[in-house]
Amino acid sequence: MDSTQPFHDRRAPGRPDRRSSSTTTERAMPCPLQIDASPRARRSSDPWVAMVSASLVEYAAGRTDRAIASWDDGITWEVRAARTSTAAIGPRAVLDYHGDLLARTDGTFRQHLVSLEASGGPVVAAHVRTIASRGGRSLDMPSLLVFEVARGRIWRVTEIHGDPVAWHAFWD
């Protein structure tokens, strides 16, 4: 596909386009998410898992323009830690948040997708292994990303770490 052409819009006919120029990004951008090339990670009979999986596959491949096509313009990525909770609001803020984690760890921050779990509704749980190193310290823990889908878009992600105290200490 020619980079000047818009990517395929998979939304229902008649649905207004809520993307704006503020949500478009470069075609390839570093991403801390890693997904094995397993076809199982890409296919699911659950429509919510399929949507989240497709977005994660595109994001992990660095195709952020395609990944954010299923994100709500007001997407909130909330990270719950030991003493605080922080939130990035909007696609650009989420991308900047992940870019900052990569920068602060000299590119070592990674979240390896272990599994995606359906809830029978518009909530998808992604189990990831979070690893990073910086300043002689290392981070290696399970984490949970809870994706909430509303009106056919990913509108909220809540990131919960297996050891919030270690998460906080690592970034201090």
Side-chain angles (χ1 to χ4, degrees), residues 63-77:
R63 294 184 295 267
T64 54
D65 56 345
R66 292 182 184 182
I68 68 174
S70 61
W71 297 3
D72 189 87
D73 288 342
I75 188 173
T76 299
W77 192 291

Side-chain angles (χ1 to χ4, degrees), residues 101-166:
L101 296 178
L102 286 166
R104 292 170 63 193
T105 61
D106 293 324
T108 64
F109 183 86
R110 293 287 181 264
Q111 291 188 307
H112 299 270
L113 182 65
V114 175
S115 69
L116 287 175
E117 304 293 329
S119 68
V123 175
V124 176
H127 301 269
V128 298
R129 185 92 199 155
T130 301
I131 61 169
S133 62
R134 72 188 282 250
R137 292 178 284 178
S138 63
L139 184 67
D140 186 351
M141 68 178 62
S143 300
L144 177 66
L145 306 177
V146 179
F147 290 82
E148 298 176 50
V149 179
R151 297 174 306 281
R153 314 280 280 174
I154 299 169
W155 75 278
R156 183 172 194 77
V157 181
T158 303
E159 184 170 344
I160 304 165
H161 298 285
D163 187 344
V165 173

Side-chain angles (χ1 to χ4, degrees), residues 3 7 14 18-19 26 32 38 63 65 67 73 80 84 93-94 109 117 133 158 167:
S3 64
F7 50 87
R18 297 178 350 155
R19 291 182 307 235
E26 306 83 50
S38 163
R63 294 184 295 267
D65 56 345
D73 288 342
R80 295 190 182 165
T84 62
V94 172
F109 183 86
E117 304 293 329
S133 62
T158 303
W167 171 265

